[in-house]
Amino acid sequence: MNTSISLETKIGQLLMFGFNGTKVTPFLRQCIREHNLGGVIHFSRNISGLQQLADLNCELQELTEESPSKTPLFIAADQEGGTIARLTKGVAIAPSAMALGATKSETITEKVCAVSALELRATGINMNLAPVLDINNNPDNPAIGVRSFGEDPRDVARLGAAAMRGYQKHVAAVAKHFPGHGDTALDSHYEMPVISHNRERLEQVELLPFREAIAAGVTGIMTSHVVFPAIEPKEGLPATLSHEVLAKLLRRELGFQGLIMTDCMEMKAITDTFGTVEAAIMAIQAGADLVIISHSEKLQEQAFQALVAAVKSGRISETRIDEAVARVIKAKERL
């Protein structure tokens, strides 16, 4: 991408939006053409059939030809298998991570995930928001459960890396939810969980699978809207918005050079605390490269404008924006 492009064009690349319906909406069309949108996330609401999805994705990518930088889109979905699958008709839905975990087999896991990725790629989806690397070590967890490969960090690390290798034969894989969402009794879709273990325990359990995924070359890592007091001293500040978690722990200590993505900024852990628009600014400041806003056109537009204003006012440095854009482009080139 040309570095002499406008600030607005750069900011657009750092955003991934969802939309309603099975056709390109006027607002999404405008975001791609004028704002240079970086990515689109699909949910079940966007998919009525495989041909429709392929045509939709074709149209979305064609629109980038009219965008300021002509950079193709990330087109993402949560196709984890089991209970979390956006494509459900005409494809081989993978078993849940827990079922794959029960096999203890890296070979089976990699093969299954490669099939999933091949089918995604055939419809024009080029990024899978999987695998889940959370450890299923809290029986009261309402959000993870069968989405996890198991309760042993070593198994989750091993099988998570195998899943990632399978996916990345055909699409970008995004490991989630860093630094962990396994040991919570709350669901961040509805409220803000806290994991209050000390740093040593986090190293042995939560961080182990992410270290393995980084070593194996995962394209992206998605952050969790979970508070980790052992890493971030500011009370109530979730990983997604924490410079300590993203810039210091993930980038510097773990050495991750890939794409840092937020979980959706319209989950209640964010909307009920910092608000989607303010959180979008805070996430980029903290070190995220791609911010997901899945539902509201109003919030999507406001976040875009607020990020532009934050750079113009000096709240976010343009150097931070350029770093993030470079990572987005590098990940796209790998695809």
Side-chain angles (χ1 to χ4, degrees):
M1 189 198 269
N2 183 348
T3 48
S4 62
I5 56 168
S6 73
L7 174 63
E8 286 79 0
T9 300
K10 292 177 190 174
I11 299 283
Q13 277 300 294
L14 311 186
L15 293 165
M16 176 177 276
F17 291 167
F19 65 103
N20 277 319
T22 53
K23 294 189 170 69
V24 182
T25 59
F27 176 75
L28 189 63
R29 189 179 301 271
Q30 178 200 348
C31 286
I32 296 169
R33 278 175 164 163
E34 294 171 26
H35 293 348
N36 202 47
L37 187 65
V40 171
I41 177 169
H42 287 320
F43 294 90
S44 305
R45 66 188 180 203
N46 305 118
I47 303 166
S48 63
L50 296 181
Q51 190 59 54
Q52 167 269 332
L53 180 60
D55 293 343
L56 172 64
N57 289 335
C58 240
E59 187 183 348
L60 287 168
Q61 294 292 17
E62 280 166 6
L63 285 169
T64 64
E65 290 299 315
E66 301 167 44
S67 74
S69 75
K70 299 185 169 40
T71 309
L73 293 159
F74 286 129
I75 300 181
D78 297 279
Q79 191 76 0
E80 298 171 14
T83 53
I84 308 289
R86 306 306 184 209
L87 279 76
T88 54
K89 296 185 185 87
V91 296
I93 303 174
S96 68
M98 186 180 276
L100 290 172
T103 70
K104 305 273 192 210
S105 166
E106 290 173 53
T107 310
I108 291 171
T109 301
E110 186 174 330
K111 279 183 180 167
V112 164
C113 293
V115 170
S116 274
L118 183 62
E119 293 181 330
L120 289 176
R121 193 66 196 230
T123 68
I125 289 171
N126 56 25
M127 174 181 270
N128 192 9
L129 304 177
V132 170
L133 297 186
D134 303 316
I135 318 289
N136 189 36
N137 53 4
N138 186 330
D140 294 329
N141 190 320
I144 304 302
V146 297
R147 299 169 67 193
S148 165
F149 288 103
E151 59 283 342
D152 184 324
R154 290 159 304 189
D155 285 343
V156 175
R158 205 168 48 79
L159 297 172
M164 190 275 300
R165 288 194 301 272
Y167 292 138
Q168 289 197 171
K169 287 187 164 80
H170 306 289
V171 300
V174 178
K176 59 190 186 186
H177 306 81
F178 185 84
H181 198 327
D183 200 358
T184 65
L186 301 175
D187 182 345
S188 54
H189 285 89
Y190 306 110
E191 47 205 325
M192 181 90 78
V194 177
I195 292 182
S196 47
H197 296 300
N198 65 26
R199 186 57 202 271
E200 191 183 348
R201 143 67 205 239
L202 293 174
E203 281 290 343
Q204 290 167 356
V205 180
E206 276 75 14
L207 297 181
L208 192 72
F210 289 101
R211 281 187 186 277
E212 191 75 24
I214 291 166
V218 71
T219 300
I221 288 180
M222 181 183 282
T223 62
S224 67
H225 304 326
V226 176
V227 176
F228 286 82
I231 309 170
E232 172 52 71
K234 285 197 194 97
E235 194 175 333
L237 193 65
T240 297
L241 311 180
S242 165
H243 186 268
E244 294 291 325
V245 174
L246 304 191
K248 287 197 182 165
L249 175 61
L250 185 50
R251 283 268 182 251
R252 278 182 228 156
E253 287 185 46
L254 302 190
F256 180 57
Q257 293 305 311
L259 197 64
I260 299 179
M261 298 172 61
T262 73
D263 207 340
C264 176
M265 296 301 233
E266 288 185 77
M267 289 160 63
K268 285 201 173 359
I270 296 295
T271 57
D272 291 355
T273 52
F274 299 90
T276 301
V277 176
E278 173 63 15
I281 296 170
M282 292 171 72
I284 296 287
Q285 266 184 320
D289 305 308
L290 196 61
V291 173
I292 301 181
I293 305 175
S294 302
H295 310 293
S296 159
E297 291 181 359
K298 185 179 170 193
L299 290 174
Q300 290 166 347
E301 179 64 31
Q302 285 175 347
F304 171 76
Q305 299 298 349
L307 281 164
V308 172
V311 180
K312 288 184 172 169
S313 73
R315 188 176 167 193
I316 302 177
S317 73
E318 195 151 359
T319 313
R320 169 79 271 272
I321 298 298
D322 289 342
E323 279 172 13
V325 171
R327 288 208 185 88
V328 168
I329 299 306
K330 190 176 173 191
K332 288 182 175 181
E333 283 169 352
R334 276 179 71 174
L335 292 173

